[in-house]
Amino acid sequence: MRVCFFVTCLADQFFAEAAADAVRLLRALGVGVSFPRAQTCCGQPAFNAGHWDEARKMAAHTQDVFEGCEYVVLPSGSCTTMLRAYSPRLFEGDRPRYEAALDLAGRSYELAEFLVKVVNAKDLGRGLEGVRLAYHHGCHVSRELGVKEEPVRLLEATGAEVVPWEADQECCGFGGVFSVKNAPVSLAMADRKLDTLPEVDYLTSADGACLMHMAGRARTRGLDVNVRHIASLLWEARNG
Amino acid sequence: MPDAKRRILRRVRRALEGRWPVEAPTGPWRPAVEEGEAVERFSAHARANGAEVLRFTEPGAARAWLADWAAGFASAAVSPQVPAAYVPPLPAATPAEAELGVSRALAAVADTGSVLLSSSEGRLLQLLPPVHLVWVEETRVLRHLAEALEALGGEPPASALALHSGPSKSADIGQIMVQGVHGPGRLIIAIVPSLEDAAGEGKTVPGPDPAGGLDWDAVRSLAGRDLTTKRGGSFTVERVTENTAVVRVGSSGKTYTIRRHCLEKAVQRIAAGTPISGPAAYRRHACNEAPAYAWALLHALDLA
Amino acid sequence: MAKGYKAAAKRALAEQPQVRESVTRATLHFDANRARAYAEVEAEAWRDWAAATKRHTLSRLDRYLIQAEARLLASGAEVHWAEDADDAQQILRELIDRYGVQRVVKGKSMLSEELEVNGLLERLGVEFFETDLGEYIIQLAGEPPSHIVGPAIHKNLEEIRALFHEKLGTPPDASPGALAAAARKVLREAFLTADMGISGANFVVAETGTVVLVENEGNIRLSTSAPRVHVVLAGIEKLLPRVCDLEIFLQLLARAATGQKIGTFVSLLNGPRRPDEPDGPEHLHVVFVDNGRSSVLADREMYEALSCIRCGACLNTCPVYRQTGGHAYGQVYSGPIGIVLTPGLRDPRLAEDLGYACSLCTACADVCPVKIPLPKQILTWRVRSAKRAPAAERMAFAGYAQLMTRPRFYRISGKLLRIAASLTGAPWLPVLGAWAAGHGALEPSPKSFREIWEEDLGNA
């Protein structure tokens, strides 16, 4: 089995080691990974800000880059949702591009989802025995794609305890441009997440941007919150 | 606005131009049916809504309960549609002044725990008194809201129908639930087999009799007597005071106090047509205190 | 003072932290009750059915309006039509004159807020009472409602105690029960002496001309029963085709709003008091109000919002609403439905600001009882207003798209980002500066993934 890895621009620049761990994990599970060099951004920032002409350019570029890949795997729930649920809407008036968008949507997976649904990975190694985790469900991947159980199931299979968290499915307040345009509200939303966060070793998620947002807020408030991307935790569990 | 209607409808039509009408879903669509008998489901749901529900299997028991319960109120505003037998023996008052409002429901709905009321009996008596008593016929307890709403179908029977599903409540002050904000703070729903039958014999229902139909001197005469309970346990009537009878159980030596009020209540029920054939019936219709011995006292007096 | 959600939200969070606390607590409570109540039934099927019924009604709205009017007239009601708030105010003014009205009791109605009925009554010198307890609280405080269902949820017990102490003379430490009793006393007197009751309408059934009102306190029943005149303000979108449709809508509304099986009091009104009835209003007037609704209906990407049954579920589940409450939106309707409806009812330009009172988390789509595609519609408003976005924003996205469709430039700018961060310790793009204010400086990974791939992973 071979996949194309779509690192996504944010992970490329800010979660590079976690993205590398995702590749290591896939390879350790026998999945061949290639990295199309021309890849950039899925276009979601522009899509969510309503600048659809710009979003279309990036989405079209992404279609071209990943043409011919059997699977496209992303270490980002939100970008996966862009490919799967949002990108087709950009091309409703452009039949070839619309079909290409649907085609790409059918081949794209969030990492944890891919491991569960396609690789059927059950045993990742029990390297996280005794580790307490809080899992933040990214809004788009959990609500638009319905990927809720897969990441939690994988984390629990590593021996980690995913601790109940009353706000685990609430929005962290990132929301792309929203976090800049309405910064005080965005930060208050992060506070709600942080104020309800149970005592854990790590706060984790499939969405790096959410983690960055919450970690940044925790830092300015002087809170001690350790943040790790799910790909790094899963690789650590596997690798010992 | 003489032309407003024409202009609004024109704008609506223009908005809809060139669009396919969306078909109505087939139906009326019925929510999944819960298991269980309608009256039981109704009672459970109405109670969960905060209403008090009483179910009487015999008209006499309902009337006896009413006589007893109504004694706690000074006045009532009563729907003209409530049969005389179910009118509390209280001075009539306007809805604004009455302590108790009494209605007769057109129907009740099990799914939601609601009673359906009609303005033909008056609206204010359903709303202004702090306590609202609603009589419902058992056969009018329906399973679904749609069955009750059928009453609206052809010609609506009154200018205002209303579903009441519990006491008036609000959590507008700091999310703390308060009852009786504007409407009644207590909703009592009394289910009876029929309100029609009672209408005929209604006039014969006695008002609250101060003596309760019980000759207390006869009870006094039991003092010192040895009696047996229905199940054969022996006990002694140790003494009888102005308001109580004290009995001592032969086997254990324990004493129980039986209140005059309870015995009177039992006799009233019996007079109203409810046979009290044993301690269980006594407990249900009178009091839950020493029912085995209390019933044996009544039995000894040939009252039960 | 700067206007709009952005400025008001910032102020509210800085100056009134208790609003966030009260609103969060109340909405979490409502939302949990809603979730439990949905779980008890086949909520998905109910919502699909209700959504389809509403879409059908809207698609034949003209026919249902005509049918409802005919049935209302037959029941003895008078029917009026108002294109906008001015029309509606004039109709009310004429009715107040006709009946010599001096005192009005009002049931909670969002449409009444839209039409600014209270302002009219004040100008006319008519004494009026909001009779819903929450509405009464904010009338005393001189504020508009902040939530469709719980107009005073932004106030905590302490604030209400202080308000009632000042206005009604209750003890400063009065219990909620005592506060409610004080309000009840004032309002009971008002019900019994008012000449006119004004209410909204939750539903109007076309088949029978039945006006349906839902509440928990009994104040609407009293407002529509005690005074001799009852005026119903109904948006033209409030119609349902058949009586039997109420079975689902009444139960769905209650479950979505508060998690109840049904509202405690449901009024089903068919005309004024009949000759053989002991009480009830002698006159019933129904005012059908457009006020921008026909424009929303004409907007094919927005018309579903007219299905809204005003349950407030989208407000309760909205994490943005929870931080600020409804006042920050500066409009009658707040929360997700407010973002979608307000620009359509009033002015599309309002979307420029309101469109960003949303993180696009899509939680509202999961709870709406009539499945209005709220997140999709909010995004559509963003798309429509993007063309009028500030020049800096438009240029930034144009530049971003240029960068992201040229892989080599993208790679170089990644390197520049790293160098800039290491040199200055601070981000150099304005957008990143705004971010850094709340989060601290951005910390790019020491090496980009691309570099790791090239040095290490790519050789595997």
Side-chain angles (χ1 to χ4, degrees):
Chain A
M1 193 187 310
R2 250 199 117 61
V3 304
C4 293
F5 189 64
F6 186 1
V7 63
T8 74
C9 58
L10 192 103
D12 188 12
Q13 305 300 334
F14 296 97
F15 284 87
E17 269 307 322
D21 288 341
V23 173
R24 294 179 187 116
L25 180 63
L26 284 164
R27 284 184 173 158
L29 293 169
V31 179
V33 181
S34 52
F35 179 70
R37 302 297 179 86
Q39 63 176 272
T40 56
C41 166
C42 64
Q44 179 164 226
F47 177 82
N48 283 348
H51 296 278
W52 280 19
D53 287 340
E54 286 76 10
R56 250 186 292 274
K57 287 178 193 157
M58 292 181 261
H61 175 78
T62 300
Q63 285 175 8
D64 296 342
V65 169
F66 292 100
E67 204 188 342
C69 295
E70 190 186 357
Y71 295 107
V72 179
V73 176
L74 303 87
S76 158
S78 188
C79 304
T80 309
T81 312
M82 177 67 195
L83 299 193
R84 286 252 285 273
Y86 299 154
S87 195
R89 276 160 63 185
L90 288 169
F91 299 106
E92 274 166 8
D94 177 348
R95 198 171 176 87
R97 280 290 180 195
Y98 181 71
E99 277 169 12
L102 289 182
D103 179 57
L104 179 57
R107 293 179 281 130
S108 304
Y109 291 85
E110 185 276 325
L111 174 71
E113 182 194 18
F114 183 76
L115 293 178
V116 171
K117 286 187 185 162
V118 182
V119 179
N120 201 15
K122 290 192 184 94
D123 180 21
L124 290 175
R126 306 277 296 179
L128 295 181
E129 204 79 60
V131 175
R132 286 168 58 85
L133 300 174
Y135 185 80
H136 163 72
H137 289 271
C139 294
H140 292 163
V141 72
S142 68
R143 273 187 281 271
E144 298 274 29
L145 301 188
V147 177
K148 286 183 186 171
E149 288 175 20
E150 291 86 349
V152 175
R153 221 190 301 162
L154 281 181
L155 288 167
E156 284 174 344
T158 66
E161 183 193 352
V162 179
V163 180
W165 178 17
E166 66 165 297
D168 63 349
Q169 299 197 19
E170 288 177 28
C171 178
C172 69
F174 172 65
V177 193
F178 171 77
S179 66
V180 176
K181 287 212 179 195
N182 271 314
V185 181
S186 164
L187 296 172
M189 288 161 72
D191 286 344
R192 154 86 184 153
K193 298 287 284 195
L194 295 168
D195 293 343
T196 53
L197 189 67
E199 195 79 23
V200 288
D201 298 306
Y202 298 109
L203 164 59
T204 187
S205 174
D207 279 282
C210 304
L211 290 177
M212 239 167 84
H213 176 64
M214 287 184 281
R217 180 57 176 169
R219 194 163 57 221
T220 56
R221 286 180 56 189
L223 302 176
D224 182 25
V225 176
N226 291 316
V227 160
R228 300 213 40 203
H229 193 282
I230 187 173
S232 293
L233 286 174
L234 292 177
W235 173 239
E236 189 181 308
R238 170 79 188 187
N239 203 32
Chain B
M1 311 302 113
D3 281 334
K5 173 184 170 186
R6 197 171 46 79
R7 282 199 295 268
I8 290 171
L9 288 174
R10 198 174 54 202
R11 273 205 302 275
V12 166
R13 286 185 186 122
R14 202 179 303 143
L16 296 173
E17 232 165 60
R19 281 199 227 177
W20 292 103
V22 180
E23 284 307 309
T26 51
W29 185 72
R30 175 58 44 82
V33 178
E34 267 182 57
E35 294 305 316
E37 187 244 349
V39 175
E40 279 164 22
R41 280 202 308 128
F42 167 76
S43 306
H45 289 163
R47 286 196 186 107
N49 294 341
E52 299 157 54
V53 183
L54 301 166
R55 185 178 185 179
F56 298 101
T57 47
E58 295 142 28
R63 282 171 288 180
W65 167 81
L66 178 66
D68 190 49
W69 181 76
F73 299 89
S75 59
V78 183
S79 159
Q81 285 153 18
V82 171
Y86 293 92
V87 173
L90 294 171
T94 64
E97 285 156 1
E99 289 185 4
L100 174 65
V102 185
S103 288
R104 173 183 184 161
L106 296 180
V109 181
D111 278 348
T112 55
S114 315
V115 287
L116 182 68
L117 303 171
S118 166
S119 57
S120 60
E121 68 173 18
R123 308 179 187 202
L124 294 178
L125 69 88
Q126 302 162 355
L127 297 163
L128 291 173
V131 180
H132 188 200
L133 169 64
V134 179
W135 293 106
V136 186
E137 281 185 333
E138 202 172 276
T139 52
R140 297 300 301 153
V141 180
L142 310 171
R143 303 176 77 85
H144 305 295
L145 197 50
E147 295 167 42
L149 294 172
E150 274 168 20
L152 277 165
E155 274 308 305
S159 71
L161 299 184
L163 293 158
H164 285 204
S165 307
S168 159
K169 50 171 131 7
S170 171
D172 281 340
I173 298 178
Q175 295 301 113
I176 300 150
M177 190 60 78
V178 174
Q179 284 196 349
V181 179
H182 292 297
R186 281 179 73 193
L187 172 64
I188 294 106
I189 301 167
I191 305 169
V192 290
S194 167
L195 285 166
E196 298 309 328
D197 296 345
E201 47 169 311
K203 303 278 189 286
T204 66
V205 173
D209 173 3
L214 176 68
D215 178 1
W216 194 247
D217 285 339
V219 179
R220 282 183 209 280
S221 70
L222 294 174
R225 290 261 304 270
D226 291 330
L227 301 172
T228 52
T229 63
K230 195 173 187 188
R231 298 179 62 177
S234 62
F235 68 96
T236 311
V237 182
E238 207 168 72
R239 61 181 186 276
V240 178
T241 69
E242 191 53 38
N243 285 311
T244 59
V246 180
V247 300
R248 176 179 296 278
V249 180
S251 55
S252 66
K254 274 175 103 171
T255 58
Y256 293 93
T257 302
I258 297 161
R259 288 183 295 163
R260 178 175 178 173
H261 158 78
C262 292
L263 294 171
E264 285 176 353
K265 200 164 159 184
V267 172
Q268 274 177 25
R269 298 288 189 279
I270 295 162
T274 309
I276 295 185
S277 54
Y282 176 88
R283 184 194 297 125
R284 189 159 59 244
H285 297 297
C287 287
N288 190 19
E289 290 171 359
Y293 308 105
W295 182 81
L297 286 185
L298 294 175
H299 189 65
L301 295 170
D302 281 333
L303 293 169
Chain C
M1 227 173 355
K3 278 196 180 153
Y5 179 80
K6 187 176 168 173
K10 189 175 173 182
R11 265 200 311 277
L13 283 166
E15 294 163 18
Q16 296 173 294
Q18 80 282 6
V19 168
R20 175 175 180 257
E21 202 179 303
S22 301
V23 171
T24 299
R25 199 181 56 225
T27 51
L28 284 171
H29 181 71
F30 281 140
D31 193 47
N33 284 345
R34 192 253 337 132
R36 181 190 39 69
Y38 271 13
E40 287 170 2
V41 297
E42 300 163 274
E44 196 64 17
W46 288 32
R47 292 166 66 212
D48 281 334
W49 186 91
T53 300
K54 274 287 189 181
R55 305 300 190 271
H56 160 74
T57 312
L58 291 172
S59 81
R60 303 194 175 184
L61 190 56
D62 52 335
R63 288 176 28 177
Y64 285 126
L65 281 167
I66 291 169
Q67 189 186 9
E69 183 192 40
R71 295 307 311 254
L72 281 162
L73 293 172
S75 75
E78 249 184 75
V79 178
H80 312 258
W81 299 78
E83 290 188 80
D84 54 24
D86 285 347
D87 277 8
Q89 290 204 0
Q90 198 181 319
I91 291 163
L92 274 176
R93 198 180 302 128
E94 283 171 13
L95 293 175
I96 285 165
D97 281 351
R98 194 199 296 181
Y99 297 113
V101 172
Q102 297 181 336
R103 212 170 221 215
V104 167
V105 280
K106 292 184 68 203
K108 194 162 75 60
S109 155
M110 294 309 289
L111 180 53
S112 156
E113 296 292 323
E114 246 184 86
L115 303 174
E116 298 178 24
V117 170
N118 291 1
L120 171 77
L121 296 175
E122 250 164 51
R123 284 198 301 282
L124 296 177
V126 174
E127 192 184 12
F128 67 96
F129 295 84
E130 293 287 356
T131 62
D132 172 89
L133 185 53
E135 288 277 350
Y136 182 63
I137 291 168
I138 57 173
Q139 186 186 10
L140 287 181
E143 295 174 15
S146 73
H147 186 282
I148 297 176
V149 172
I153 59 163
H154 59 288
K155 291 206 175 298
N156 62 29
L157 176 58
E158 287 314 311
E159 291 170 283
I160 296 167
R161 275 180 176 148
L163 179 71
F164 274 47
H165 176 61
E166 184 200 329
K167 305 275 182 180
L168 303 179
T170 49
D173 60 347
S175 68
L179 297 172
R184 175 190 169 103
K185 199 168 159 224
V186 174
L187 294 171
R188 175 59 63 96
E189 160 80 12
F191 288 128
L192 296 177
T193 54
D195 317 287
M196 177 185 275
I198 299 179
S199 75
N202 290 92
F203 307 102
V204 178
V205 181
E207 176 184 47
T208 52
T210 304
V211 174
V212 184
L213 289 156
V214 183
E215 50 160 339
N216 279 327
E217 296 179 10
N219 64 303
I220 293 183
R221 282 221 66 204
L222 282 164
S223 300
T224 62
S225 295
R228 63 198 159 89
V229 185
H230 173 202
V231 180
V232 178
L233 303 171
I236 54 171
E237 83 284 19
K238 291 291 175 192
L239 294 180
L240 283 179
R242 305 166 299 180
V243 169
C244 61
D245 296 326
L246 290 171
E247 171 158 52
I248 293 295
F249 274 98
L250 287 174
Q251 298 183 67
L252 190 55
L253 170 61
R255 285 179 184 270
T258 54
Q260 292 168 273
K261 286 190 172 59
I262 190 168
T264 302
F265 299 98
V266 176
S267 304
L268 304 152
L269 306 177
N270 289 286
R273 168 188 184 176
R274 297 183 185 178
D276 56 345
E277 292 180 341
D279 50 25
E282 291 151 35
H283 308 280
L284 175 64
H285 294 266
V286 176
V287 188
F288 282 120
V289 182
D290 183 338
N291 206 34
R293 285 158 176 74
S294 54
S295 315
V296 177
L297 186 65
D299 185 337
R300 299 194 180 198
E301 292 178 297
M302 298 295 167
Y303 87 98
E304 293 106 319
L306 293 179
S307 309
C308 175
I309 56 174
R310 308 289 189 264
C311 68
C314 63
L315 281 64
N316 297 331
T317 208
C318 175
V320 173
Y321 179 90
R322 284 180 188 162
Q323 310 311 317
T324 65
H327 286 165
Y329 297 74
Q331 305 291 338
V332 171
Y333 302 105
S334 57
I337 188 65
I339 298 173
V340 171
L341 266 185
T342 306
L345 290 177
R346 295 196 53 204
D347 178 0
R349 297 189 66 105
L350 291 167
E352 292 164 32
D353 170 65
L354 288 175
Y356 280 93
C358 171
S359 66
L360 292 180
C361 83
T362 73
C364 49
D366 283 0
V367 303
C368 177
V370 287
K371 293 204 164 178
I372 300 169
L374 294 160
K376 197 175 171 185
Q377 291 176 325
I378 293 172
L379 186 53
T380 299
W381 279 121
R382 285 191 185 180
V383 173
R384 290 180 186 178
S385 44
K387 292 171 190 70
R388 291 189 302 269
E393 179 186 323
R394 278 182 285 127
M395 280 169 59
F397 276 103
Y400 185 70
Q402 289 292 321
L403 185 71
M404 291 300 178
T405 46
R406 287 168 178 71
R408 202 179 330 151
F409 289 143
Y410 166 72
R411 186 190 302 209
I412 294 165
S413 33
K415 288 204 167 106
L416 287 173
L417 175 74
R418 243 160 229 88
I419 294 166
S422 65
L423 286 180
T424 60
W428 39 271
L429 281 174
V431 58
L432 299 182
W435 163 273
H439 301 81
L442 277 173
E443 289 172 15
S445 302
K447 285 181 187 172
S448 70
F449 173 81
R450 205 165 289 266
E451 288 165 338
I452 298 175
W453 179 273
E454 278 154 15
E455 292 168 17
D456 176 14
L457 297 170
N459 307 323

